[in-house]
Structures are given as C-alpha cells and as structure tokens.
Amino acid sequence: MIIKKLKVEEGFFDGLDLSFTEGLNVLVGGRGVGKTSVIELIRFGLGVDNLSSNANESSSHAVSILQSTGRVTIEAMHNGTPITVSRSAMDREPFSTTYFEKPIIFSQKEIETVSLNASGRLALIDSFDSEIAEKQKELINLNSQINNSCAQLSQSKKELSELLESTAQFQSLKNRENQLLLQQQEIQKQNASMQNSQNALNNIQSELAAISVDLQNISAVKNSLLQRISHLESLNTPLYLQKYNSQEAIKLNEIVSQSFAKDSATIQFLIKSNRDLLDTINNTINTLTNKKLNLEEQARSNRINVDNFNQGAGAILGELGRLRQTLAQIENTQRIAQDKKDKIGHIYDDIQSTLEKVATLRDLVQSKRSQIVNYLNANLLPAINSSLTPNSNLNDYSNALEGCLRGSGLKYKEVISTITQKVSPAWLLYYTHTLKYQDFANSIGLPLDRATRLLGYLSEINIGPILTAKIEDTAEFSLLDHRNYKPVEQLSIGQRCTVALSVILENTNRVLVVDQPEDHLDNEFIAQTLIKSIKQRSNYTQTILSSHNANIPVLGNANNVINLESNGQKGFIKCSGKIDSLDVKQVIESIMEGGKEAFQLRSNFYAS
C-alpha cells in the first residue's frame, strides 16, 4: 500500500491537502508547526494501534487537532486499486472503501520504549508478517470456543453431581424391595385365594410406576418449552425507529424495518407453534394424570381386598408399590445421569481437539517468528543479536491459574510456577477430567493428599480462563557493546533507539511512518546506518518521517520533502517537492542547517 494524500477538515490543519510519493517522504519545519500532529493524524485516520504506549494518548492528540467536528481523509493505492479511508473526531473506527494493510507507525516515545517489554518486542517481530496477525485472530476465536465449551463442561459436571446425589439411596431401596418380596411370598403361601388380587395389584403398581416416569420426563420437556417460549417473547421487542436524513440512511431504515417486521412475524409464528405444542403436552399430562388417578383408585380397591384378608399383606403391598415408583424414578435419573456423562465426554473431546488446533497455530506462529529472527540476524549481526525462546512466557498462564485458585482455601502460591512449567493446559484438562490423582502428584512432585485436594478443586470449577491463557514466545534483542552483548533492558535510551530502529527499518513489507527517528541517536549512526537502511527501504516500499536532521532528507535522497509552517493559529504547507528543488534546498539550508552562513562555517571547519 502507498499513502497518496492526507486531507484535513476543521481544526489546526483545516484545509490541509498533503501529498505523499513513493520512496522517502520527510516532514520538516520548526518546532510547533505540527510535524508530530501529521504523524498522529495518519495513525488516527487509519486506526493504527500503538505497539507499546497508550492508544488513547495518540487518539487524544489527533482529536485535539481535529477538534470536535473535524475529519481526516486518507487516499491510498494498493496493487493499483484506489482506497479512501475517512474518520471524524467522533468516530470510534475509520471507514474505508475496501480492506487495506495498515502501516507501521512509531512515535518518539514508542521508539524509546517498544523494546523494553516482552509484548513490544514480539509486536516488532510480528509486524514483519501480516499472516501472524491473522493467526492470532484465529487463536482468539478458538479460545472463545474453548471458554464456551468449558462453561458447558462445568455446568454439566454440577448437574451430574446433583443427579448422582439423588440416586445415592438406590441400592438400599433395592435391598428393601427384595425383603418385601420375600415377605410377600410368605403371605401368598398362606392363602392362594388372594393370588389374583395380589397379581392385579402388582400389575397396576407396575403401570403406575411407568406413568410416573412418563410424567417426570414430559414435565422436563414442558419446562424446556416454557423457557423457549419466554426467550422467543423476549426477542420479539418492537424496533425503535431512528429519524434519518440522507436518502441512503432512509433506504437502509426501510430495509431494516422490513427485515424486523419479517423477523417479528417469524417469531410470532414460532411462539404460536410452541404454544400449540405446549397445549398438546398439557393435554397429554392431564390424560396421564387422570389415568394415574384411576389406577390408584383400582390399586386402593385391590389393597382393601388384601387388607381384609391380612392387614400385614396390605401394608407390605402398599410399601412395595411406593418403593417401586421411587425405584423407577431413580432408574430413570440414572439413565439421565449416564446421558450427562456421555455429554461431558463429548465436550471434553471437543475441548481437547480445539486445544490441539491452538497448539498447531502456536507452532505455526512460532515458526514464522523464528524465520523473522533468522532474517534479522542475517542482516544485523554482529551489531544486534535477536533471539526467540518458544513458549517461555508463562505469566498469563500463571496469573489465570492463581486467579482460579484464589479463595479455594488451599496453599497454592508456591506450586503455581511448578504446575505452569510442568503441566500444559491440555494435560491439566486431562487430569481434571480423569481425576488421576497419583499421576498428577507425580507430574508436579507433590504429596498425594495435597495433589488430590488441588486437583479435586480444579475439577469442580470452570478452568476455561486457565486453558485459554496466553503461553507466549519470548523475543530478546541485544546490542554488541565493547565485545559483549547487552540486553535492551541494560541499554541507554540512545542505544535502545538504535536497536529498535535497526529492527524496524529491516521491515520492508509495510509502509513505515516514524516521528523524528534521529532523536537520541548519534550522527555517526544516522549517517552510516540509519540513512543506509532508509535508502534500502525506498526500493521496496514507502517511508514517511518527520525530522530536524538535514542528513535524513539529503543523504537519504528524499523523493518528497514537505515543509510545514504555522502562524500560531493554523498549520499549513509552506512548500514541498524533491530534494533537488530550489525551494526545498532553501528550506533545508535555513531550517535544518541553521542558515547559509552556519552551513558555510561548518563546511570550512570540516575542510580545515
């Protein structure tokens, strides 16, 4: 992509129409004329995120220049296709005519600080390959799936626990049923004449048990249907119509209104269909309830006959009937519990499958980063050494694990580091699912009782935040200083800027916009290294810089020098053109060299 124009409406740069060319563009001018403001307007207009500093700082700067009613418009070209991007001071995001690849933009502060933190160093490396950003978006989507599945898994586990608790008395009730059957057999031996009444009662009780189960299951279906109807009714909210002015917005409003009306009709149809189904369910429940009442009446009649013969036999039959209904309901609950176990197994498999996809994507990103590091070392060694340690930044993983364990009452802080280093998220999910306490204890080197308490707690909570925590690579840059490599954290500001700019300028894949790259750099580095890299970039893509240093436009053979000026109230372009144009030469001589006399004095000094 090549940025062609920057246009501004309202504010300090009202009416600005600034043209850029391919190759090197340099913004020059005295202090306070708005060079940094132009950089930040480009950033704001294209919606480019800061790599290391607060994004709100840049947005605030641009908005203060535009004022409340201002707008910035950027015209660009990408593979021969014109692109227009526009954003007002009030817009949250820019509007563009088509997709565009955002440039890399650095403020002075970012150049100083981007290499100081782990995320900034990774961002520098990732900026070389746009596919890395696409893979990171895929990772976000996969992690969203994992979080949703983990929430389902946690809820299903709670439901299963409740189901199993309600079936805990099954065996004791079954034993009691066997006892009652034995007693019933003894009574039946005493009087064979009661066999028919007893057989009829047994048949009725069996049928009652079956009806009880049916009513239980149908009631569950009814509750689900009531929830669905409630949800559909909540969706059928009236559309609040906005008042629009433009023909396009009015036309869109008509389309939206028609769409909502159509949706409302569909929802009404679904509500009616579900209510009709609810009526059918209620009718079935009433039919089964009446049948149950009739059977219970028949059962009472048969029990009376039996009780007339033997009061004890009736009591046994009554208890046996109630017991059989309870057992039938518990057996039904056991089937539901088994279905829930199967569902939990499927959810677990889905999460593990998604974690495998996450691992594959991370490996791909790490491979691309390694290639970029190798490219940087091939071009920057021995002066600057770059390195990448895969999957070594476990801070987010540790924080997520600590957050989930907080409030558990367990002593966990001293084992957080051990778990994150020795147990991957996929293995942690496996241990919490299978509850292999001994294996977990062996893997982290803890006593079995302590590992059991820890794993038991994790198995009962939603561990989605742990499974989706970032496990990042660690990028490092170091500068050769007196035959020793010093990491960026130990470098001066000037040395840090040297490292950051050296890396940034190697990226020839995207447009680069930098505010005063020469700050904190010595003139030798500017002349021998910085200028060389800038000129090399011009063969591949566009570079836009603001500068006070004459070496950058002159030795960099700038394709376009833009002299900004200000009258204190408004900024404007005083002149612009190629480096060899008369106006540009005079600007460089007067502003960047301190005037013709100062330039001549330095020339005489160097010649002597």
Side-chain angles (χ1 to χ4, degrees), residues 256-456:
V256 171
S257 299
Q258 291 171 4
S259 176
F260 270 74
K262 184 178 179 181
D263 290 348
S264 179
T266 301
I267 293 172
Q268 289 286 4
F269 172 80
L270 291 173
I271 291 174
K272 183 179 183 309
S273 175
N274 279 268
R275 288 195 178 278
D276 290 344
L277 179 58
L278 183 63
D279 291 339
T280 301
I281 289 174
N282 286 329
N283 290 337
T284 303
I285 290 174
N286 291 335
T287 300
L288 288 176
T289 301
N290 290 332
K291 187 175 181 180
K292 182 181 177 184
L293 292 173
N294 290 333
L295 288 171
E296 286 174 345
E297 181 61 33
Q298 294 177 35
R300 278 194 295 272
S301 176
N302 279 280
R303 272 199 304 273
I304 290 172
N305 292 335
V306 175
D307 286 341
N308 289 336
F309 166 72
N310 189 313
Q311 187 67 35
I316 290 172
L317 288 173
E319 183 181 353
L320 190 58
R322 292 189 297 273
L323 191 61
R324 281 173 170 169
Q325 287 194 41
T326 302
L327 284 170
Q329 291 176 346
I330 291 177
E331 286 172 343
N332 184 60
T333 301
Q334 287 176 329
R335 288 191 293 272
I336 296 173
Q338 185 57 52
D339 291 341
K340 190 69 67 177
K341 285 181 181 178
D342 294 341
K343 179 182 178 182
I344 288 171
H346 292 316
I347 295 173
Y348 167 79
D349 291 340
D350 288 343
I351 297 173
Q352 285 290 19
S353 176
T354 309
L355 285 173
E356 289 177 8
K357 294 177 183 177
V358 168
T360 299
L361 276 178
R362 281 178 175 166
D363 288 343
L364 180 59
V365 169
Q366 184 254 309
S367 175
K368 288 181 174 294
R369 286 171 174 169
S370 295
Q371 292 173 15
I372 295 166
V373 166
N374 291 337
Y375 166 79
L376 290 174
N377 284 334
N379 292 338
L380 298 178
L381 281 174
I384 296 170
N385 181 49
S386 306
S387 65
L388 186 76
T389 307
N391 303 324
S392 54
N393 187 341
L394 304 174
N395 291 338
D396 285 349
Y397 187 18
S398 297
N399 291 338
L401 183 58
E402 183 175 356
C404 286
L405 288 172
R406 191 175 294 119
S408 64
L410 303 172
K411 294 181 179 180
Y412 56 84
K413 288 193 175 182
E414 62 270 25
V415 299
I416 292 284
S417 177
T418 302
I419 294 175
T420 54
Q421 289 177 16
K422 294 185 176 182
V423 181
S424 70
W427 274 102
L428 186 64
L429 174 64
Y430 168 77
Y431 287 135
T432 58
H433 181 72
T434 59
L435 296 179
K436 291 186 178 295
Y437 299 111
Q438 187 63 63
D439 291 350
F440 179 66
N442 293 340
S443 67
I444 60 176
L446 279 183
L448 180 60
D449 60 337
R450 191 176 179 191
T452 298
R453 290 194 298 272
L454 189 62
L455 187 61

Side-chain angles (χ1 to χ4, degrees), residues 105 118 157 159 171 289 355 380 383 490 559 583 607:
I105 301 180
K157 283 184 175 180
E159 293 171 357
Q171 192 56 52
T289 301
L355 285 173
L380 298 178
Q490 299 176 17
N559 300 73
D583 289 343

Side-chain angles (χ1 to χ4, degrees), residues 520-537:
H520 306 297
L521 301 178
D522 58 67
N523 283 325
E524 181 181 5
F525 177 79
I526 293 172
Q528 295 182 4
T529 304
L530 182 62
I531 298 298
K532 179 183 176 183
S533 297
I534 289 173
K535 290 178 72 174
Q536 285 180 330
R537 282 194 101 257

